[in-house]
Amino acid sequence: MLNYGGWLVGCLLCQVAVAAEPDPLNSPQWEAMHTRFLNGEPYTFDSKVKVEAPPEAEDSLNVPIALRVTDLPDIQEMRVFADLNPLPHVLNFRPKTVPPNLAFRMKLQQGSPVRVAVKTADGMWHVGGTYVEAAGGGCTLPSVGTSSGDWSKTLGQVSANVWQRPDNNRLRIRVMHPMDTGLASGIPTFHIENLNVKDAQGTLLAELDLYEPISENPMLSLDVGKITTFTLEGRDNNGNKIAAEVAP
Amino acid sequence: MKRWLCAAFFISNAVFADDFAYPMQPQQVATDTYVIEGKTEDFSKKNGGFIVNTGFIVTADGVVVIDTGVSRRFGEQQRAAIEKLTGKKVVRVYITHHHPDHFLGNQTYTDVPIYALPATRDGIKAEGEMFSGNMYRMVGDWMRDTRVTPPTQDAKAGKETIGRHELEVLALQGHTAGDLALFDHTTGVLFSGDLVFNNRAATTPHATLTTWLTTLDSLQALSFKTLVPGHGNVASDTAPIAQTRAYLQWLQTTLKDAAANGLDMLEVMQTPIPADFQSVALVQNELRRSVSHLYPALEQANLKPAKQAE
């Protein structure tokens, strides 16, 4: 009886939350995303949080995405997910001392909302997103590297550059990796799991957790304040290390 | 009375939606020469993929068709329109390049030789099925029963007289690896395929910009009287060539500069369109698509190998 009452109250609360904040992208998966990626915690759809993407993916294997957050203090975590992807979790980004801006490319299996949820220190998730139409097939194809068999020669190699700018320097990083999703027949999941960006003194600037939908040979763009020299540290799910130094 | 009108309206609408008729009106552009001009739109379920120019030349020996359109339905309706207008049989088909809006009507013409450049034939074999699947997704039932039907003959560069028309095949590239232009020396009509766009933004999924620009110079040097671009209005001057060239040059410069300045793909996609091209159909969409096609190679050229640490 008590359990029944608890369920009733819980359900009423969740209905209230849904009624208060309808998903602007009207996705059938939003509640599941809320439970899975926001741990069911309080959220608000917030125009300060933007996901930029083309309305239609020209190449489902390489859909460019940019995250831009303005005027949100004390960001703890940014989680990117695509509701209708077979593997919805795309990445986590924890900017420590750099602006909460990140650009990357991802694989889409079909048209889907692509969202970023930004958790601030008060425990609230601020959610932004956009819908990307896609022809599909992005997640179930083997990587080019795995298909051609030459991925092992370049695995983990980093190329990068730093552009010095008046406001924020721009860091662009490319890490050679197949980023296989595990959804192509007979090819196991093989992807970079984390990547930390530090300055030359070893101060942590940003942490990234990457998941299967990140495109092959990930290309990342960050705005990095006045810093010009970086170290990168990371590893993939097979324990291969990534370690590189970047200077202008 | 009102009720009757309503009913009639619904019936006529239903008939229209079911018959999948392309608004096919061949227009004469020179002696013996006709063009079926498509819309300067993107593929949609509304236009059924009727976005491309196809043409035909009525020779003494029969009709030569240039490109067969986007679907089985298009090819069938195109051939019916040609035979009704001319009372002659189709004797030959040329396919200008391997993009789906230009060749997916081929299955109507399996009884006549279909000519294309070797690179075009290879492209259709490699990518035809993927293109066809994508077209079904974009224009839906207009594509019903469309099957990829590759060209059957290698087109070779040079002149050949068919039914008193001296036709020259130009084997070019730039828009794709195999771009066939057909120049009728008898009438002065140049069918450029998608090497030239007129007030419709150029598309680049298989383009090599530097090669394309050189090819445009060679087309401009021809003494044609009428120019039939792949998309957009038929012209009687070189303005469409100049416009296509100017757009491609702007695109090339924009992408190169962006890569050299460390811009990300989305930032390049948001580049403002110069005033000269703002009235060009689909220019913002095509810029976004071109960034996807062409930018990755350029940005990689602006990265340096990082020092691998221990």
Side-chain angles (χ1 to χ4, degrees), chain B residues 8 25 38 63 129 136 163 175 190-191 202 205 244 253 280 282 310:
Chain B
Q25 290 167 330
V63 181
E129 291 297 339
Y136 272 86
H175 176 65
L190 173 64
F191 290 89
T244 303
T253 308
V280 173
L282 296 171
E310 285 312 308

PDB file of all heavy atoms in Angstrom, chain B residues 8 25 38 63 129 136 163 175 190-191 202 205 244 253 280 282 310:
ATOM      1  N   ALA B   8     -15.456  16.960 -56.241  1.00  0.00           N
ATOM      2  CA  ALA B   8     -14.672  16.973 -57.478  1.00  0.00           C
ATOM      3  C   ALA B   8     -13.228  17.371 -57.178  1.00  0.00           C
ATOM      4  O   ALA B   8     -12.283  16.779 -57.701  1.00  0.00           O
ATOM      5  CB  ALA B   8     -15.306  17.952 -58.466  1.00  0.00           C
ATOM      6  N   GLN B  25       7.864  19.551 -70.245  1.00  0.00           N
ATOM      7  CA  GLN B  25       7.544  20.365 -71.412  1.00  0.00           C
ATOM      8  C   GLN B  25       8.801  20.643 -72.201  1.00  0.00           C
ATOM      9  O   GLN B  25       9.521  21.599 -71.913  1.00  0.00           O
ATOM     10  CB  GLN B  25       6.882  21.670 -70.970  1.00  0.00           C
ATOM     11  CG  GLN B  25       5.487  21.441 -70.418  1.00  0.00           C
ATOM     12  CD  GLN B  25       4.943  22.653 -69.690  1.00  0.00           C
ATOM     13  OE1 GLN B  25       5.680  23.442 -69.104  1.00  0.00           O
ATOM     14  NE2 GLN B  25       3.635  22.799 -69.710  1.00  0.00           N
ATOM     15  N   GLY B  38      14.536  21.290 -65.696  1.00  0.00           N
ATOM     16  CA  GLY B  38      14.083  20.968 -64.340  1.00  0.00           C
ATOM     17  C   GLY B  38      14.086  22.194 -63.452  1.00  0.00           C
ATOM     18  O   GLY B  38      14.560  23.268 -63.834  1.00  0.00           O
ATOM     19  N   VAL B  63      16.573   9.982 -82.712  1.00  0.00           N
ATOM     20  CA  VAL B  63      16.781  10.963 -81.644  1.00  0.00           C
ATOM     21  C   VAL B  63      17.939  10.549 -80.730  1.00  0.00           C
ATOM     22  O   VAL B  63      18.054   9.379 -80.346  1.00  0.00           O
ATOM     23  CB  VAL B  63      15.482  11.127 -80.802  1.00  0.00           C
ATOM     24  CG1 VAL B  63      15.670  12.170 -79.702  1.00  0.00           C
ATOM     25  CG2 VAL B  63      14.306  11.499 -81.703  1.00  0.00           C
ATOM     26  N   GLU B 129      23.984   1.942 -56.538  1.00  0.00           N
ATOM     27  CA  GLU B 129      22.979   1.405 -55.606  1.00  0.00           C
ATOM     28  C   GLU B 129      22.812   2.332 -54.404  1.00  0.00           C
ATOM     29  O   GLU B 129      21.705   2.525 -53.916  1.00  0.00           O
ATOM     30  CB  GLU B 129      23.370  -0.006 -55.147  1.00  0.00           C
ATOM     31  CG  GLU B 129      23.287  -1.063 -56.249  1.00  0.00           C
ATOM     32  CD  GLU B 129      21.862  -1.264 -56.781  1.00  0.00           C
ATOM     33  OE1 GLU B 129      20.892  -0.912 -56.074  1.00  0.00           O
ATOM     34  OE2 GLU B 129      21.736  -1.745 -57.927  1.00  0.00           O
ATOM     35  N   TYR B 136      15.405   7.078 -53.137  1.00  0.00           N
ATOM     36  CA  TYR B 136      14.139   6.554 -52.597  1.00  0.00           C
ATOM     37  C   TYR B 136      13.810   7.290 -51.301  1.00  0.00           C
ATOM     38  O   TYR B 136      12.663   7.644 -51.035  1.00  0.00           O
ATOM     39  CB  TYR B 136      14.248   5.047 -52.312  1.00  0.00           C
ATOM     40  CG  TYR B 136      13.904   4.158 -53.496  1.00  0.00           C
ATOM     41  CD1 TYR B 136      14.868   3.831 -54.435  1.00  0.00           C
ATOM     42  CD2 TYR B 136      12.623   3.641 -53.651  1.00  0.00           C
ATOM     43  CE1 TYR B 136      14.567   3.005 -55.511  1.00  0.00           C
ATOM     44  CE2 TYR B 136      12.322   2.810 -54.726  1.00  0.00           C
ATOM     45  CZ  TYR B 136      13.296   2.504 -55.652  1.00  0.00           C
ATOM     46  OH  TYR B 136      12.993   1.691 -56.711  1.00  0.00           O
ATOM     47  N   GLY B 163      22.952  11.266 -88.346  1.00  0.00           N
ATOM     48  CA  GLY B 163      21.777  11.872 -88.994  1.00  0.00           C
ATOM     49  C   GLY B 163      21.994  13.332 -89.353  1.00  0.00           C
ATOM     50  O   GLY B 163      21.147  14.174 -89.082  1.00  0.00           O
ATOM     51  N   HIS B 175      33.881  18.226 -62.127  1.00  0.00           N
ATOM     52  CA  HIS B 175      32.674  18.035 -61.317  1.00  0.00           C
ATOM     53  C   HIS B 175      32.687  16.612 -60.760  1.00  0.00           C
ATOM     54  O   HIS B 175      32.361  16.374 -59.600  1.00  0.00           O
ATOM     55  CB  HIS B 175      31.437  18.285 -62.168  1.00  0.00           C
ATOM     56  CG  HIS B 175      30.145  18.031 -61.452  1.00  0.00           C
ATOM     57  ND1 HIS B 175      29.731  18.772 -60.366  1.00  0.00           N
ATOM     58  CD2 HIS B 175      29.178  17.098 -61.645  1.00  0.00           C
ATOM     59  CE1 HIS B 175      28.565  18.304 -59.936  1.00  0.00           C
ATOM     60  NE2 HIS B 175      28.213  17.285 -60.679  1.00  0.00           N
ATOM     61  N   LEU B 190      25.835  23.411 -76.976  1.00  0.00           N
ATOM     62  CA  LEU B 190      26.726  22.700 -76.065  1.00  0.00           C
ATOM     63  C   LEU B 190      25.927  22.201 -74.854  1.00  0.00           C
ATOM     64  O   LEU B 190      25.346  23.008 -74.118  1.00  0.00           O
ATOM     65  CB  LEU B 190      27.855  23.636 -75.596  1.00  0.00           C
ATOM     66  CG  LEU B 190      28.780  23.094 -74.502  1.00  0.00           C
ATOM     67  CD1 LEU B 190      29.570  21.877 -74.986  1.00  0.00           C
ATOM     68  CD2 LEU B 190      29.747  24.187 -74.024  1.00  0.00           C
ATOM     69  N   PHE B 191      25.898  20.879 -74.697  1.00  0.00           N
ATOM     70  CA  PHE B 191      25.328  20.295 -73.480  1.00  0.00           C
ATOM     71  C   PHE B 191      26.488  20.092 -72.507  1.00  0.00           C
ATOM     72  O   PHE B 191      27.340  19.230 -72.729  1.00  0.00           O
ATOM     73  CB  PHE B 191      24.655  18.956 -73.792  1.00  0.00           C
ATOM     74  CG  PHE B 191      23.386  19.077 -74.590  1.00  0.00           C
ATOM     75  CD1 PHE B 191      23.420  19.079 -75.984  1.00  0.00           C
ATOM     76  CD2 PHE B 191      22.158  19.189 -73.958  1.00  0.00           C
ATOM     77  CE1 PHE B 191      22.250  19.181 -76.728  1.00  0.00           C
ATOM     78  CE2 PHE B 191      20.979  19.297 -74.690  1.00  0.00           C
ATOM     79  CZ  PHE B 191      21.027  19.295 -76.088  1.00  0.00           C
ATOM     80  N   ALA B 202      26.623  25.271 -57.548  1.00  0.00           N
ATOM     81  CA  ALA B 202      27.320  24.063 -58.005  1.00  0.00           C
ATOM     82  C   ALA B 202      27.443  23.061 -56.856  1.00  0.00           C
ATOM     83  O   ALA B 202      27.609  23.439 -55.702  1.00  0.00           O
ATOM     84  CB  ALA B 202      28.699  24.435 -58.531  1.00  0.00           C
ATOM     85  N   PRO B 205      30.073  16.807 -54.506  1.00  0.00           N
ATOM     86  CA  PRO B 205      30.397  15.561 -53.792  1.00  0.00           C
ATOM     87  C   PRO B 205      31.576  14.778 -54.393  1.00  0.00           C
ATOM     88  O   PRO B 205      32.230  14.030 -53.673  1.00  0.00           O
ATOM     89  CB  PRO B 205      29.100  14.744 -53.865  1.00  0.00           C
ATOM     90  CG  PRO B 205      28.264  15.388 -54.894  1.00  0.00           C
ATOM     91  CD  PRO B 205      28.671  16.822 -54.942  1.00  0.00           C
ATOM     92  N   THR B 244      29.663  30.089 -62.639  1.00  0.00           N
ATOM     93  CA  THR B 244      30.116  28.844 -62.012  1.00  0.00           C
ATOM     94  C   THR B 244      31.590  28.984 -61.604  1.00  0.00           C
ATOM     95  O   THR B 244      31.980  28.592 -60.501  1.00  0.00           O
ATOM     96  CB  THR B 244      29.935  27.654 -62.985  1.00  0.00           C
ATOM     97  OG1 THR B 244      28.560  27.592 -63.378  1.00  0.00           O
ATOM     98  CG2 THR B 244      30.323  26.343 -62.328  1.00  0.00           C
ATOM     99  N   THR B 253      38.800  29.528 -52.260  1.00  0.00           N
ATOM    100  CA  THR B 253      39.515  30.497 -51.416  1.00  0.00           C
ATOM    101  C   THR B 253      38.988  30.473 -49.986  1.00  0.00           C
ATOM    102  O   THR B 253      39.748  30.486 -49.019  1.00  0.00           O
ATOM    103  CB  THR B 253      39.342  31.916 -52.001  1.00  0.00           C
ATOM    104  OG1 THR B 253      39.712  31.868 -53.372  1.00  0.00           O
ATOM    105  CG2 THR B 253      40.202  32.932 -51.278  1.00  0.00           C
ATOM    106  N   VAL B 280      21.657  33.119 -56.007  1.00  0.00           N
ATOM    107  CA  VAL B 280      21.862  31.792 -56.607  1.00  0.00           C
ATOM    108  C   VAL B 280      21.111  30.752 -55.767  1.00  0.00           C
ATOM    109  O   VAL B 280      21.278  30.694 -54.547  1.00  0.00           O
ATOM    110  CB  VAL B 280      23.370  31.458 -56.669  1.00  0.00           C
ATOM    111  CG1 VAL B 280      23.588  30.019 -57.115  1.00  0.00           C
ATOM    112  CG2 VAL B 280      24.096  32.422 -57.592  1.00  0.00           C
ATOM    113  N   LEU B 282      19.889  27.744 -53.662  1.00  0.00           N
ATOM    114  CA  LEU B 282      20.464  26.703 -52.793  1.00  0.00           C
ATOM    115  C   LEU B 282      21.911  26.955 -52.388  1.00  0.00           C
ATOM    116  O   LEU B 282      22.627  26.034 -52.008  1.00  0.00           O
ATOM    117  CB  LEU B 282      20.341  25.324 -53.456  1.00  0.00           C
ATOM    118  CG  LEU B 282      18.902  24.844 -53.682  1.00  0.00           C
ATOM    119  CD1 LEU B 282      18.883  23.575 -54.527  1.00  0.00           C
ATOM    120  CD2 LEU B 282      18.198  24.596 -52.355  1.00  0.00           C
ATOM    121  N   GLU B 310      56.377  10.055 -23.947  1.00  0.00           N
ATOM    122  CA  GLU B 310      56.440   8.702 -23.342  1.00  0.00           C
ATOM    123  C   GLU B 310      55.368   8.553 -22.282  1.00  0.00           C
ATOM    124  O   GLU B 310      55.051   9.477 -21.562  1.00  0.00           O
ATOM    125  CB  GLU B 310      57.829   8.472 -22.730  1.00  0.00           C
ATOM    126  CG  GLU B 310      58.883   8.200 -23.785  1.00  0.00           C
ATOM    127  CD  GLU B 310      58.455   7.142 -24.804  1.00  0.00           C
ATOM    128  OE1 GLU B 310      58.029   6.039 -24.396  1.00  0.00           O
ATOM    129  OE2 GLU B 310      58.502   7.417 -26.013  1.00  0.00           O
TER     130      GLU B 310
END
